[in-house]
Amino acid sequence: MSGVVVRGRALREGQSQHQGPTVVLLHPLGAGADFWERAAASLDGLGVYSVDLPGHGGCPVPDDPYGTADVAAALAKHLRGLGHQAVHVVGLSLGGLVAIELGVHDPGLVSSLVVAATVPSYPEDWREKWRARAADAGRLGVTPFVEPTLQLWLTPAALAADGPEVAYVKRTLAGTDPRGYALACLALADADVTSRLGTITAPTLLVDGELDAPLFHDGAARLARSIPGARRAVIAGARHASALEFAEPFARLVRNWVRPGPDEGSR
């Protein structure tokens, strides 16, 4: 697809400095590479490379509509161009779908997967919602979606405190290019990895926020049934953006999955 590229930056140095394997982080809709800064601070002993997906952060808006498989192909090209031969991939929501596509299409590049708050495909009513949101973003911009995103992503306690997580969502979503946001909504509407999940060979951890919307709990259950050997973990008290509001518990799950200690046993 024309113009589908990704960009990224290191939040922690990794293998080239002999400080452990590299974890690649993929953000949700309307965020950017900086979504992961709090979690990255707790990923001790790992290299951390955070990615801006198309039309988000510092990444250009594609010329044409694209799919999550197109993003995965662009990501694989980008990572191999940086010299990476095998990485651990962590994705949340939109980023989780891209992570799954990467695991399907370039298994040699993916040492393991952590997939959070992700569905293998959206039901038809949600597909229509994504298409409607894409159209609205083109007409109205992204501002109308700030409040619904806050309600889905963060707990009532975080919203009441009006702290840094709330400020991040407001600032970052408001700064997202409306066309970039709209194209990502269309990619979500069309995404469907269901038939390919059985081909994933990377060890896969599925992460739920305890208080996330039922759709995403159901999605995790569908993924668990279809990805060979997949495991599930729940972050207590979290909603959709568990890696933002509950950064340290999320990072602990990632650390233990990527570098299991003796008490973790074999996967």
Side-chain angles (χ1 to χ4, degrees):
M1 283 292 166
S2 177
V4 177
V5 298
V6 301
R7 292 181 179 170
R9 57 191 174 94
L11 301 183
R12 281 180 178 270
E13 296 301 332
Q15 285 180 320
S16 61
Q17 282 71 36
H18 307 290
Q19 294 179 358
T22 295
V23 176
V24 175
L25 305 175
L26 307 176
H27 62 77
L29 173 69
D34 55 354
F35 175 86
W36 297 100
E37 286 182 349
R38 293 185 66 199
S42 297
L43 291 175
D44 302 324
L46 299 172
V48 180
Y49 189 76
S50 192
V51 173
D52 283 327
L53 297 176
H56 292 71
C59 194
V61 178
D63 298 330
D64 302 308
Y66 62 86
T68 52
D70 300 313
V71 183
L75 177 60
K77 180 179 179 180
H78 178 77
L79 292 173
R80 291 191 182 280
L82 294 173
H84 292 294
Q85 300 301 316
V87 294
H88 301 269
V89 183
V90 179
L92 191 147
S93 202
L94 170 62
L97 277 163
V98 175
I100 290 170
E101 293 278 16
L102 190 65
V104 168
H105 293 290
D106 201 336
L109 183 61
V110 180
S111 297
S112 74
L113 290 168
V114 179
V115 177
T118 300
V119 298
S121 64
Y122 284 92
E124 188 56 37
D125 60 331
W126 271 79
R127 291 177 184 270
E128 290 303 317
K129 288 179 184 178
W130 286 128
R131 295 183 185 113
R133 182 171 288 199
D136 287 342
R139 294 186 301 106
L140 305 172
V142 181
T143 300
F145 311 122
V146 173
E147 187 59 31
T149 299
L150 286 168
Q151 295 295 327
L152 175 67
W153 281 19
L154 303 176
T155 64
L159 296 176
D162 198 24
E165 303 93 346
V166 174
Y168 172 80
V169 174
K170 290 180 177 179
R171 179 181 70 252
T172 306
L173 192 55
T176 300
D177 184 286
R179 176 166 165 75
Y181 186 89
L183 289 175
C185 288
L186 293 177
L188 287 170
D190 292 340
D192 187 352
V193 297
T194 306
S195 65
R196 305 189 296 279
L197 294 173
T199 68
I200 292 175
T201 57
T204 301
L205 177 67
L206 307 169
V207 179
D208 288 295
E210 180 188 15
L211 304 180
D212 202 356
L215 170 71
F216 297 100
H217 292 299
D218 176 67
R222 291 166 60 197
L223 291 169
R225 288 194 296 268
S226 300
I227 298 176
R231 294 190 181 182
R232 292 181 69 177
V234 176
I235 297 182
R239 300 203 73 181
H240 195 65
S242 55
L244 182 64
E245 186 179 349
F246 293 78
E248 201 288 324
F250 190 98
R252 188 185 316 124
L253 287 174
V254 173
R255 288 196 313 267
N256 289 342
W257 189 249
V258 172
R259 304 183 76 172
D263 58 326
E264 298 295 319
S266 64
R267 295 191 185 122

